[in-house]
Amino acid sequence: PPPKADTHLPSPIPPMLQLLRGGAAALACLVVRPPIVAKMALTQLSSTKCFGGYQKVYEHDSSELKCKMRFGIYLPPKSESAKCPVLYWLSGLTCTEQNFITKASSQQAAAEYGLIVVVPDTSPRGCNIPGEDESWDFGTGAGFYVNASEEPWKTNYRMYAYVTEELPRLVDANFSVISGKMSIFGHSMGGHGALVCALKNPGKYKSVSALAPICNPVMCPWGQKAFTGYLGPDKTKWETYDATSLVGSYSGPHLDILVDQGKDDQFLVAGQLLPDNFIKACTEKKIPVVLRLQEGYDHSYYFIASFIGDHIKHHAKYLNA
Amino acid sequence: MVEVQRLIDSICSIPVPSAPSMCPQSPDTATSTSVKVRWSLSADDTVEHYQLYYRKLGDNTQDEGAADAPLRVKEMFCTVRNLQTGSMYEFWVTATNSAGTSDGSDRAVFTTVPAAPRISNGTVAVCQSAVFMEWEAGSSRPPQSYALDFCQVCCGCDWTESLTESVTGITSCKALIELEPSENYIFYLRAVNGGGSSERSAAITVRTTGTQLYLMEQTAHLALSILQDGLTIVYNEESQLTDPPTIHDRFTSSATVMAQLVPVRGRHYWEVEVAEDTEYRVGIACTDTPRDAHFGSNITSWCMRHILTSSRSKFEFLHKGLTPDLRITITPTRIGILLDYDTGKLSFFNVDICQLLFTFSQQFQNLVNPCFALESYGILKVSHNIPFPEFTKLL
């Protein structure tokens, strides 16, 4: 049988050693295992003890993105003896799976509330697509959590499908999670991603929150650049990945959205974030939002670290209910 | 012949009785309108009847009544009725026979017990661990002390006298009593004086499942009225009556009223119902917060404020006059307020959608009181006795 959902996957063992150990049983396993193992193959790259649990990083071959992808996963102490709910974090432009797990100081609250926190990368990497590394706000590190429809991006740039389908399936199969109890949050481009994933999938996420999200990408320079490249000129396609537009047509279970926005955020001033548009749409559509404008805070991970505890507590309220 | 008559007369004559002695008041013989009076005699006196005199004693000698016409009594005791409650009377007695009437006895004071005190649920505060109640002192001569009898009530069992607890010797008109959480109790109040204990007051039922508070009418700004239910606050035209300057408790510059919680730390929760266009402030303040300041503008008060601007609803969370900058998309019509002394938090919720609006983090050194204020015409309806909702549990 394939390895049971477990927090400690062994590294691949040389066939010789297996034969010495097991005999007939090992031979049978060797014959049966490879196809299933290859599909779900996760390679642990690192594991570090943190607040009684483990901050790990894994790598796998993604079928949606057609490349190797990494993600961070924090396993709280509780996960050793019980299944836990999962909280997905989506990072912003230029980030990898490393920024959040090293800078946001989320592990303490995750440990306290018994939540598994999964942190994917922000785009496919090393796909050799012409132009993928030209800009910091488009291509590598800037997947915008959409399924691209335009060449040369449409084969690999399917971050929406990766985040909402492939990654949760992978996590459910390999870790000690409570099926169906997941929530999502993120920062900046990841805030946009979290809001879009929640609004497009009513009932899938128990709660959603965002820090300095790009609320209305069709109306800001970042969004216009990315959507033109990934989705082409058709603005109706753009609106299907725009939180402010999606609010207008949302119908689903009640949401409870927490948003933090630094008042000294240079990108707020530059008109990239547009939270007022989102608030206006939610007020009209009666979607519960509390937006906190935080005096003196900027767009950085210092801002994220300052309020991550409140966000994790917000999700714990719904995930642990 | 006259001499023989005189001799016969002298053999048959009896002396005038000696003065009787009053016995002191026995316990449990008085009611609120009667006392049982007894006296004794020297052994050999022959008495035909007694005359019992009494008069009411007052606080000033001017109040003291003249003795009523004496009661003519055959026995050596008498129950004197139709007296005033909680009052002291002076009794003395004379003995009469055919030879004449004795001197008056010494004077003894008898006291009627007080009337049963009046207490209503309108001045009872409850939390999970205690009850606090206030009542009015008796109108005439105030009793020496009060006593509270109470008992835990379980569903389906008969309450028996033997399970009652009593707290006695309460000298002020208030009491704070520790109780078990999530239980039902019945309380009775009695007044006690030198003559004994009054009858029990009407029963007060107490349930320690949630917070019960009461509005302190004496703190209410003159523009506010509190309706009969004791929980609905209405903003009216400012009253034309001028306030006697001796009342220091009343809010003067903003239409605010303060409520009483059980004065213990721990967790307290209550709700306020508002209309979407009501402009209000709700929250807490220290008991001695200045009455001439706006609620939330100083260091001794914390509140949630809702006002209407030309374009939208505006929400503020005020302390020391400062507020964070928030946008709330759904205007609450039922606000939950959680005060947690242990974790030092005051939280506000939109109850209908279980949404946390804002939390003040503050270690409350002193005890605080809920406050409610209206900024313009409108109504606030306070709800209490609500078990802690699920959405308050995580905090």
Side-chain angles (χ1 to χ4, degrees):
Chain A
K4 208 64 181 100
D6 185 28
T7 55
H8 305 285
L9 291 179
S11 335
I13 299 169
M16 200 56 192
L17 210 51
Q18 287 207 1
L19 277 170
L20 286 169
R21 274 213 270 147
L27 255 174
C29 284
L30 198 61
V31 168
V32 171
R33 255 179 21 184
I36 304 161
V37 169
K39 187 177 175 194
M40 295 290 189
L42 282 183
T43 308
Q44 184 177 283
L45 299 182
S46 69
S47 175
T48 317
K49 194 156 188 186
C50 187
F51 284 102
Y54 288 88
Q55 180 61 64
K56 292 171 182 271
V57 177
Y58 284 89
E59 186 173 71
H60 71 111
D61 284 305
S62 164
S63 54
E64 290 286 353
L65 307 175
K66 313 273 186 303
C67 66
K68 281 199 181 330
M69 285 294 283
R70 296 182 177 188
F71 61 90
I73 182 165
Y74 177 72
L75 299 166
K78 183 176 165 199
S79 66
E80 278 185 45
S81 52
K83 291 183 187 242
C84 297
V86 187
L87 184 49
Y88 287 87
W89 167 269
L90 303 181
S91 293
L93 291 166
T94 79
C95 288
T96 65
E97 81 289 349
Q98 287 292 317
N99 312 67
F100 181 79
I101 67 179
T102 54
K103 291 185 177 186
S105 308
S106 60
Q107 291 86 352
Q108 183 166 15
E112 187 183 334
Y113 294 109
L115 303 180
I116 291 173
V117 183
V118 175
V119 183
D121 199 343
T122 51
S123 76
R125 285 180 197 269
C127 303
N128 293 316
I129 302 169
E132 69 180 354
D133 291 325
E134 258 169 37
S135 320
W136 63 275
D137 55 2
F138 181 78
T140 303
F144 272 86
Y145 305 103
V146 302
N147 291 341
S149 56
E150 300 297 290
E151 293 289 7
W153 312 101
K154 64 191 254 203
T155 308
N156 302 96
Y157 276 71
R158 295 180 54 76
M159 286 299 290
Y160 177 75
Y162 178 71
V163 165
T164 56
E165 290 166 36
E166 183 178 359
L167 190 57
R169 272 205 306 269
L170 193 67
V171 168
D172 281 8
N174 288 281
F175 299 95
S176 149
V177 313
I178 304 175
S179 185
K181 280 237 172 161
M182 58 185 188
S183 291
I184 191 164
F185 66 151
H187 168 251
S188 196
M189 176 184 73
H192 141 81
L195 291 171
V196 165
C197 289
L199 289 165
K200 283 167 80 76
N201 295 276
K204 186 183 178 82
Y205 300 98
K206 295 278 173 267
S207 48
V208 57
S209 74
L211 291 111
I214 302 171
C215 297
N216 197 189
V218 307
M219 301 287 284
C220 76
W222 275 337
Q224 288 158 353
K225 176 176 178 179
F227 287 176
T228 305
Y230 297 133
L231 303 174
D234 181 3
K235 293 236 163 70
T236 56
K237 268 199 212 160
W238 294 15
E239 282 170 5
T240 66
Y241 290 106
D242 180 302
T244 300
S245 307
L246 288 167
V247 161
S249 55
Y250 178 80
S251 96
H254 149 95
L255 292 168
D256 178 0
I257 306 177
L258 173 64
V259 180
D260 273 310
Q261 174 61 59
K263 276 180 139 171
D264 278 8
D265 183 331
Q266 55 177 318
F267 302 111
L268 178 70
V269 172
Q272 296 278 23
L273 305 177
L274 305 172
D276 287 342
N277 296 0
F278 184 67
I279 291 299
K280 186 152 178 289
C282 289
T283 304
E284 271 162 29
K285 200 68 168 70
K286 298 211 176 300
I287 305 245
V289 178
V290 174
L291 165 68
R292 314 189 304 183
L293 293 156
Q294 302 288 8
E295 191 75 45
Y297 286 92
D298 66 4
H299 199 70
S300 71
Y301 268 88
Y302 292 108
F303 160 66
I304 296 173
S306 303
F307 299 105
I308 199 73
D310 285 349
H311 285 252
I312 291 178
K313 192 148 89 167
H314 171 79
H315 293 291
K317 189 167 99 181
Y318 292 96
L319 291 173
N320 288 334
Chain B
M1 269 315 172
V2 173
E3 282 180 14
V4 170
Q5 191 59 45
R6 225 182 283 141
L7 192 60
I8 293 167
D9 283 347
S10 71
I11 294 164
C12 298
S13 76
I14 47 169
V16 172
S18 48
S21 303
M22 295 293 302
C23 299
Q25 181 171 10
S26 300
D28 297 328
T29 56
T31 69
S32 57
T33 55
S34 71
V35 293
K36 192 163 180 189
V37 182
R38 285 189 305 115
W39 50 89
S40 62
L41 266 187
S42 315
D44 292 342
D45 285 334
T46 308
V47 174
E48 243 180 57
H49 67 265
Y50 299 92
Q51 311 217 91
L52 180 62
Y53 295 83
Y54 63 95
R55 67 175 187 157
K56 183 168 178 304
L57 293 175
D59 296 320
N60 312 313
T61 42
Q62 288 107 299
D63 292 348
E64 292 182 7
D68 290 334
L71 294 175
R72 193 182 160 106
V73 178
K74 282 263 183 207
E75 302 84 7
M76 291 170 66
F77 56 86
C78 179
T79 300
V80 182
R81 303 183 197 280
N82 295 318
L83 300 175
Q84 291 190 14
T85 62
S87 301
M88 288 162 59
Y89 289 82
E90 199 177 49
F91 285 85
W92 63 99
V93 66
T94 60
T96 304
N97 61 17
S98 53
T101 299
S102 72
D103 291 333
S105 68
D106 52 308
R107 297 192 177 203
V109 174
F110 283 69
T111 312
T112 50
V113 302
R118 295 242 286 262
I119 182 171
S120 77
N121 231 298
T123 50
V124 174
V126 182
C127 70
Q128 291 204 312
S129 60
V131 63
F132 175 79
M133 41 183 91
E134 289 188 283
W135 54 87
E136 279 173 18
S139 50
S140 54
R141 192 190 199 92
Q144 283 174 343
S145 69
Y146 294 91
L148 274 169
D149 302 329
F150 62 99
C151 147
Q152 202 168 304
V153 180
C154 14
C155 299
C157 75
D158 286 320
W159 175 45
T160 55
E161 292 280 345
S162 57
L163 296 173
T164 309
E165 276 185 66
S166 283
V167 174
T168 57
I170 303 169
T171 47
S172 60
C173 289
K174 52 178 101 161
L176 172 66
I177 304 205
E178 274 183 30
L179 299 173
E180 296 294 314
S182 306
E183 296 285 355
N184 290 344
Y185 294 85
I186 295 184
F187 278 77
Y188 295 98
L189 179 67
R190 291 181 283 115
V192 179
N193 67 7
S197 167
S198 70
E199 296 281 313
R200 282 177 165 158
S201 68
I204 300 286
T205 48
V206 169
R207 305 179 69 192
T208 52
T209 44
T211 304
Q212 178 170 309
L213 50 81
Y214 59 91
L215 297 174
M216 299 196 284
E217 303 214 22
Q218 71 275 17
T219 65
H221 186 275
L222 291 173
L224 295 180
S225 306
I226 300 171
L227 301 189
Q228 276 272 42
D229 61 4
L231 296 170
T232 304
I233 304 164
V234 181
Y235 185 104
N236 276 326
E237 289 284 347
E238 184 135 354
S239 168
Q240 298 302 317
L241 297 168
T242 51
D243 197 26
T246 51
I247 297 177
H248 300 296
D249 242 359
R250 212 176 276 286
F251 284 93
T252 52
S253 59
S254 67
T256 312
V257 60
M258 186 180 276
Q260 179 72 48
L261 286 176
V262 179
V264 296
R265 304 178 76 85
R267 296 170 97 224
H268 305 266
Y269 176 79
W270 62 98
E271 295 180 356
V272 187
E273 224 178 285
V274 295
E276 279 192 8
D277 59 356
T278 314
E279 295 189 313
Y280 56 82
R281 299 186 194 211
V282 294
I284 56 169
C286 297
T287 314
D288 56 359
T289 196
R291 300 299 199 254
D292 59 355
H294 283 264
F295 181 22
S297 66
N298 50 31
I299 201 174
T300 52
S301 57
W302 298 256
C303 73
M304 169 178 172
R305 181 184 187 214
H306 171 244
I307 48 173
L308 297 169
T309 68
S310 52
S311 52
R312 61 182 176 96
S313 266
K314 190 157 181 251
F315 293 93
E316 297 180 345
F317 292 88
L318 290 160
H319 174 58
K320 298 194 268 195
L322 300 172
T323 176
D325 198 346
L326 294 183
R327 303 282 179 273
I328 291 172
T329 56
I330 297 193
T331 302
T333 52
R334 182 170 273 276
I335 300 154
I337 302 169
L338 178 72
L339 167 63
D340 190 336
Y341 285 97
D342 304 327
T343 58
K345 291 193 193 298
L346 174 69
S347 300
F348 296 85
F349 300 89
N350 180 335
V351 175
D352 294 327
I353 56 176
C354 306
Q355 180 190 41
L356 171 64
L357 298 171
F358 184 77
T359 300
F360 286 101
S361 290
Q362 178 83 47
Q363 287 300 327
F364 300 105
Q365 308 283 8
N366 303 314
L367 293 172
V368 292
N369 294 66
C371 285
F372 308 90
L374 282 158
E375 305 214 359
S376 58
Y377 289 103
I379 298 177
L380 295 176
K381 188 162 190 310
V382 181
S383 293
H384 60 178
N385 281 320
I386 302 165
F388 290 92
E390 274 305 311
F391 55 76
T392 62
K393 300 263 170 79
L394 192 64
L395 290 154

